[in-house]
Structures are given as structure tokens and as C-alpha cells.
């Protein structure tokens, strides 16, 4: 896509005025034509845009495989596994290798992937293995009849977030507006009735403090939890609890 087309996309995004940071992040990451994950990401790992634990050593996959085998009630039980956002497929490969022939023969491995460039890399990494790809969690769970063990590695921060900024008068939401062709930060008021404020207003943060809230992640979970009938879920990430996460981070995380 040429620069003129990208510029037209940006202009269209801001055509109605300021947009929240959350909406801007959604477009930047997942727009079907110019979004980073949708079309621009090269790879993950030493030659990619960033690295995760699974691209550095297979030990994480080995640990997850041990966890998954512990969940089987018998050697004859079939195992449905759903990995959400599989990167290069290195973690899936490490898990399948560690499961062993007998367990692997009774394992149905599903990957939910929204990034087409990464899906292509995963297919190369996992060539010859029995892996099923799905565009969303509802499709993956339907293939498992709602019974599956689910896991992800460094997934939540790939979801767009709302950013709230404290001023002397109140909490505001961070937004962006287009000025002379460039996005600039602006603050927009937040309704005092928003329940989200109850979580942050009770803490004595200094003026200027920025807080990120990932309502999109919560909404995504609610969209498929009703069709997940049984199983266990493992979410691997790094961070801290609120409000300690923001200690010495006045500009947010």
C-alpha cells in the first residue's frame, strides 16, 4: 500500500474529529490493509520485530506440555488444545515435540490467529503436523464441542487499551486528533457515571498520571466464555497488580 493510500486511511479515521487512543490503537494494529499485525509484521524472534520466551528456548513449550499431560484423566482420553496467538509456531512445535507419540496421537491442536503473515509462518514451522487454524475463539471452540484446554503467551498487551489521564479537576481520556496531517494528543472528558473510574479514582495518584484499561480484552473474553463448556486456561505474561504497577510510572506502562 503506497503512502498516499495510508495517508487517506489516516484522514478517514479522523474525519469526524478526535478519536480515542483505543480506537487509534485498534486501527494501527488490526486495520485489514495497514494494521501492524494484519499486514506489516515480519516475524517474531531473532530476525523478527521482537522476541518472546518461546523464540529463545523450547523450555517454555516443554513446561506447558507437562502441564497439559497432567490434565489427562487417562491415556485414552483425547486432548483438545487451543493456543491463542501462536507467533511463529515455535511454542506449538516445542509442545507437540514434548507431548510424546502416544499423547500427540490423541491430541487435537488448534491455533487462533488473526495475523495472516504470522499464520503463513506458523504453517511453515508446523508443516506436516496435525494443526487446525481458526480465525476466532468461537470457531475454535465449536471445533472442540466447547471442551478444550486454552493457553496464550504474551497475549493481553496485543489488545487496544483506553488511557486515562489525571488532571487537577478530574480524570480524562486520552484521544488523538489530526493537526496539519499529524496525530496529536488531546484530552476528552469522561462521564462520572463510568464504572471504570471507580477502580482508579480511589487511589491518590498525582496529577498527570496515566492509567491503561483494556476493556477490549474483557469484552473479548465475554464474547466466547459462554460456549466454553470445560477445560483449564493458562495465561502467561509479565507485569504487576494494580495500583503497584504504576509505581514510578507516571506516564503509564
Amino acid at each position: 500500500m503506497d503512502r498516499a493510500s495510508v495517508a487517506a486511511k489516516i484522514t478517514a479515521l479522523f474525519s469526524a474529529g478526535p478519536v480515542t487512543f483505543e480506537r487509534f490503537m485498534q486501527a494501527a494494529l488490526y486495520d485489514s490493509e495497514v494494521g501492524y499485525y494484519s499486514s506489516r509484521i515480519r516475524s517474531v524472534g531473532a530476525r523478527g520485530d521482537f522476541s518472546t520466551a518461546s523464540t529463545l528456548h523450547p523450555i517454555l513449550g516443554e513446561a506447558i506440555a507437562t502441564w497439559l499431560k497432567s490434565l489427562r484423566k487417562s491415556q485414552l482420553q483425547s486432548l483438545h488444545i487451543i493456543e491463542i496467538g501462536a507467533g511463529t509456531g515455535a511454542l506449538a512445535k516445542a509442545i507437540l515435540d514434548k507431548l510424546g507419540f502416544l499423547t500427540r496421537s490423541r491430541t487435537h491442536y488448534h491455533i487462533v490467529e488473526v495475523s495472516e503473515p504470522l499464520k503463513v509462518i506458523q504453517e511453515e514451522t508446523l508443516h506436516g503436523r496435525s494443526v487446525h487454524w481458526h480465525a476466532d475463539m468461537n470457531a475454535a471452540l465449536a471445533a472442540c464441542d466447547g471442551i478444550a484446554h486454552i493457553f496464550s503467551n504474551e497475549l493481553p498487551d496485543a489488545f487496544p487499551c483506553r488511557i486515562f489521564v489525571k488532571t487537577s479537576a478530574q480524570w480524562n481520556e486520552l484521544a488523538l486528533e489530526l493537526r496539519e496531517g499529524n496525530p496529536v494528543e488531546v484530552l476528552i472528558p469522561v462521564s462520572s457515571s463510568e464504572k471504570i473510574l471507580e477502580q482508579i479514582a480511589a487511589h491518590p495518584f498525582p496529577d498527570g498520571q496515566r492509567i491503561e484499561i483494556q476493556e477490549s480484552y474483557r469484552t473479548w473474553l465475554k464474547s466466547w466464555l459462554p460456549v466454553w463448556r470445560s477445560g483449564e486456561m493458562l495465561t502467561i505474561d509479565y507485569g504487576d497488580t494494580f495500583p503497584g504497577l504504576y509505581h514510578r510510572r507516571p506516564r503509564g506502562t
Side-chain angles (χ1 to χ4, degrees), residues 161-164 171 199-200 203 205-206 208-214 239-253:
C161 65
R162 298 177 70 183
I163 297 180
F164 296 92
W171 283 92
Q199 300 178 33
I200 60 178
H203 300 276
F205 288 114
Q209 178 69 56
R210 295 189 175 197
I211 299 290
E212 302 93 355
I213 303 291
Q214 288 176 298
D240 202 351
T241 56
F242 180 87
L245 176 65
Y246 293 100
H247 180 57
R248 296 182 182 174
R249 294 185 177 90
R251 298 286 293 178
T253 64

Side-chain angles (χ1 to χ4, degrees), residues 67-121:
W67 169 69
L68 289 167
K69 286 194 289 187
S70 74
L71 300 177
R72 294 184 69 198
K73 294 182 174 62
S74 74
Q75 292 297 314
L76 299 178
Q77 181 188 19
S78 293
L79 193 66
H80 282 276
I81 303 168
I82 300 176
E83 180 181 2
I84 312 168
T88 63
L91 185 57
K93 183 177 183 300
I95 291 169
L96 289 168
D97 286 346
K98 185 63 176 179
L99 285 178
F101 175 77
L102 181 59
T103 303
R104 189 166 57 244
S105 67
R106 296 185 178 278
T107 294
H108 305 275
Y109 202 101
H110 305 264
I111 292 176
V112 174
E113 185 57 69
V114 300
S115 172
E116 189 59 34
L118 289 180
K119 181 174 179 286
V120 171
I121 296 171

Side-chain angles (χ1 to χ4, degrees), residues 143-205:
C144 305
D145 196 25
I147 302 172
H149 301 305
I150 301 166
F151 75 93
S152 64
N153 179 44
E154 297 191 34
L155 174 72
D157 61 0
F159 282 76
C161 65
R162 298 177 70 183
I163 297 180
F164 296 92
V165 183
K166 186 179 181 182
T167 66
S168 57
Q170 61 184 13
W171 283 92
N172 299 277
E173 184 164 6
L174 184 69
L176 299 170
E177 69 176 8
L178 209 58
R179 295 180 186 172
E180 298 180 355
N182 297 307
V184 297
E185 293 185 353
V186 296
L187 298 180
I188 57 177
V190 180
S191 170
S192 59
S193 63
E194 280 218 45
K195 290 185 177 180
I196 204 71
L197 291 181
E198 297 176 4
Q199 300 178 33
I200 60 178
H203 300 276
F205 288 114

